[in-house]
Amino acid sequence: MKHFEVNFDGLVGPTHNYAGLSFGNVASLSNAASASSPRQAAKQGLMKMKALHDLGLKQGVLAPQERPDMATLRRLGFSGTDAQVLAKAAKEAPAILAACCSASSMWTANAATISPSADTSDGRVHFTPANLTNKFHRSLEPAVTGRILQAIFNDDRHFQHHKHLPDNDHFGDEGAANHTRLCSHYGHAGVELFVYGREAFNAAAPAPKKYPARQTLEASQAIARLHGLDDDTVVYLQQNPDVIDAGVFHNDVISVGNQNLLFYHQDAFVDTQAKFAEIRRKFGDGELHFVEVPRDQVSVAEAVKTYLFNTQVVTLPSGIMAIIAPTECEESDAVRTYLASLVEQDSPIKEVHYMDVKQSMRNGGGPACLRLRVALNDEEVAAVNPSCLLDDALFNRLNTWVDKHYREELHVADLADPALLMESRDALDELTQILGLGSVYPFQLD
Ligand code: SUG
């Protein structure tokens, strides 16, 4: 049997904008209120998907959410026609309107946590959408995310879907952004690494002082229970609270893993050496590479600015690993020099590919934020909704679809435009047909 890692990238939605919604995420706050280009953003994302497909990797597509989220605006008391709801929200509560218009579901590393069948007690692939409770705009995502995942992985012989965790900060769950899996081959049982920012039920435990820790230990433990993971193959690792306070709002901004490699910053974790010993013990036999980036070569601030760790580390069909890095890494002397030396070192990473995802980067989302990893065997791949797997035809079709429906430029003031709502719904209605999803959006189900 063959095994693969399939990356499901989030298609950027038609309302992509910069609203400064994410306290603790430096890029989101510093680009607040600048003009965005939904069309460029969607096309940059599609180019990345196509580039990975052309490297010989399996690539999937995850549909965006319905925005503006009219159901939430109505739930919050704005009433009348759709146009009146938008006008009232824009006048009385522009920050709430902006939150209800965010295209943040593009960062599918936060869509869900996934455990491959080799790790779970019932031999199925388990999915739990992330509740994303820490940010209001993101907490609006999990229900529709769950429906989209069920429409793609729609075969209960292979796939088990769980409901997102209770919507409360005690169980704050940010999905795969705080979860890495180490294994010798994608099909072998691996060690699942859950990285948390704080303990919700232990006030004495270390926690950041300035910015929020979005992921709790208790949420990670709940996911491990739901997915039927064996304690002997799970490691809980605390993120260094000081780096959260320096703008590392998710673990995937300071470390990334692939197969038997963990690429991380010297300051990423608490109690690093003891935890690495636990990983080694639970990993068992087989080579394991810990590639540490020293702070005197790349500072935490430079890592946050360039997203050196929000790179995708992928295994190419030839067996070597490649890093997919944002062009911001190439533009930084320190990071470009570091990456040039990394491929010469004794590590499996042998290639660097730079990609332009600047529209997403300005909101704090790099290449790794834009993708959800799903390790599957060939039978499981055959059970995936084939319309969501990228090939040249789907790439061309989605580009044409973006050209037809997306605006070239969008300002926060445009979010109240009723025409944007109609454009967005028309686009998504057509998209659900292209991707064979059926009805997943509230406007389709009402
Ligand atoms: O949750 N930005 C996202 C970025 C998520 C990046 N994902 C990972 N690291 N996996 C967030 O902070 C900004 C939206 C705005 O300000 O308009 C935003 O939601």
Side-chain angles (χ1 to χ4, degrees), residues 238-287:
Q238 181 166 10
Q239 205 180 325
N240 178 354
D242 294 342
V243 300
I244 296 179
D245 282 339
V248 180
F249 56 97
H250 285 136
N251 171 61
D252 68 1
V253 177
I254 200 81
S255 88
V256 54
N258 177 52
Q259 288 185 325
N260 61 352
L261 172 124
L262 187 68
F263 179 57
Y264 65 100
H265 191 273
Q266 182 176 8
D267 295 324
F269 309 116
V270 168
D271 212 7
T272 310
Q273 290 320 318
K275 285 292 167 182
F276 282 12
E278 183 182 344
I279 294 172
R280 276 206 181 82
R281 184 165 47 76
K282 292 185 170 174
F283 190 83
D285 296 336
E287 232 180 344

Side-chain angles (χ1 to χ4, degrees), residues 55-202:
L55 284 170
L57 301 170
K58 290 203 184 296
Q59 180 67 53
V61 183
L62 278 181
Q65 305 255 330
E66 175 192 340
R67 296 289 180 267
D69 183 339
M70 298 306 292
T72 296
L73 288 171
R74 288 181 185 282
R75 192 175 161 203
L76 294 174
F78 299 105
S79 59
T81 61
D82 284 344
Q84 286 166 339
V85 167
L86 291 168
K88 285 181 195 167
K91 186 159 173 264
E92 294 167 29
I96 295 176
L97 176 64
C100 290
C101 290
S102 178
S104 54
S105 65
M106 70 172 83
W107 300 296
T108 53
N110 306 117
T113 307
I114 293 162
S115 297
S117 52
D119 294 357
T120 62
S121 55
D122 66 358
R124 293 189 289 173
V125 185
H126 284 242
F127 300 78
T128 304
N131 61 19
L132 301 170
T133 54
N134 191 256
K135 298 284 176 268
F136 174 64
H137 68 292
R138 304 226 57 186
S139 72
L140 306 176
E141 298 174 28
V144 171
T145 298
R147 282 208 283 278
I148 292 172
L149 289 173
Q150 294 195 33
I152 300 177
F153 303 96
N154 181 16
D155 182 338
D156 56 16
R157 278 173 310 158
H158 296 293
F159 307 125
Q160 172 69 41
H161 296 272
H162 302 277
K163 189 173 178 191
H164 58 277
L165 297 181
D167 298 284
N168 182 284
D169 238 15
H170 277 65
F171 291 98
D173 176 22
E174 298 286 315
N178 282 56
H179 173 255
T180 302
R181 179 171 179 265
L182 298 173
C183 58
S184 40
H185 294 283
Y186 291 126
H188 292 183
V191 173
E192 297 207 12
L193 212 59
F194 288 87
V195 185
Y196 62 93
R198 71 182 180 100
E199 293 183 37
F201 291 89
N202 175 9

Side-chain angles (χ1 to χ4, degrees), residues 17 19-22 25 28 110 137-138 177 214 250 252 363-364 369:
N17 72 93
L21 301 174
S22 281
N25 168 344
S28 155
N110 306 117
H137 68 292
R138 304 226 57 186
R214 298 197 197 183
H250 285 136
D252 68 1
N363 251 340
C369 296

Side-chain angles (χ1 to χ4, degrees), residues 165-405:
L165 297 181
D167 298 284
N168 182 284
D169 238 15
H170 277 65
F171 291 98
D173 176 22
E174 298 286 315
N178 282 56
H179 173 255
T180 302
R181 179 171 179 265
L182 298 173
C183 58
S184 40
H185 294 283
Y186 291 126
H188 292 183
V191 173
E192 297 207 12
L193 212 59
F194 288 87
V195 185
Y196 62 93
R198 71 182 180 100
E199 293 183 37
F201 291 89
N202 175 9
K209 297 183 179 64
K210 184 173 165 199
Y211 291 145
R214 298 197 197 183
Q215 177 88 29
T216 67
L217 170 63
E218 293 81 352
S220 300
Q221 290 167 328
I223 301 284
R225 275 191 297 274
L226 285 167
H227 291 194
L229 304 180
D230 188 328
D231 276 350
D232 289 342
T233 61
V234 174
V235 175
Y236 301 99
L237 190 54
Q238 181 166 10
Q239 205 180 325
N240 178 354
D242 294 342
V243 300
I244 296 179
D245 282 339
V248 180
F249 56 97
H250 285 136
N251 171 61
D252 68 1
V253 177
I254 200 81
S255 88
V256 54
N258 177 52
Q259 288 185 325
N260 61 352
L261 172 124
L262 187 68
F263 179 57
Y264 65 100
H265 191 273
Q266 182 176 8
D267 295 324
F269 309 116
V270 168
D271 212 7
T272 310
Q273 290 320 318
K275 285 292 167 182
F276 282 12
E278 183 182 344
I279 294 172
R280 276 206 181 82
R281 184 165 47 76
K282 292 185 170 174
F283 190 83
D285 296 336
E287 232 180 344
L288 197 48
H289 302 271
F290 291 97
V291 178
E292 178 175 288
V293 180
R295 66 177 84 87
D296 61 5
Q297 284 188 39
V298 179
S299 66
V300 171
E302 196 65 7
V304 170
K305 196 170 125 211
T306 61
Y307 267 36
L308 168 59
F309 298 95
N310 204 262
T311 45
Q312 287 178 248
V313 183
V314 293
T315 304
L316 301 180
S318 63
I320 63 161
M321 291 191 196
I323 274 202
I324 312 298
T327 42
E328 283 77 356
C329 288
E330 194 176 20
E331 289 154 14
S332 152
D333 289 342
V335 173
R336 189 185 59 253
T337 307
Y338 173 79
L339 284 172
S341 72
L342 174 65
V343 294
E344 304 298 328
Q345 284 171 30
D346 180 24
S347 102
I349 300 174
K350 292 292 162 223
E351 288 179 11
V352 182
H353 298 263
Y354 291 106
M355 299 201 183
D356 180 1
V357 288
K358 283 195 189 310
Q359 284 285 327
S360 166
M361 283 288 284
R362 283 185 203 136
N363 251 340
C369 296
L370 286 161
R371 63 94 170 92
L372 181 65
R373 295 187 281 190
V374 190
L376 298 170
N377 63 37
D378 40 16
E379 272 178 21
E380 292 157 354
V381 170
V384 171
N385 178 340
S387 304
C388 295
L389 293 175
L390 194 84
D391 56 15
D392 290 347
L394 181 59
F395 171 73
N396 291 330
R397 206 164 166 203
L398 290 174
N399 266 298
T400 308
W401 170 82
V402 169
D403 283 331
K404 178 173 159 195
H405 295 286

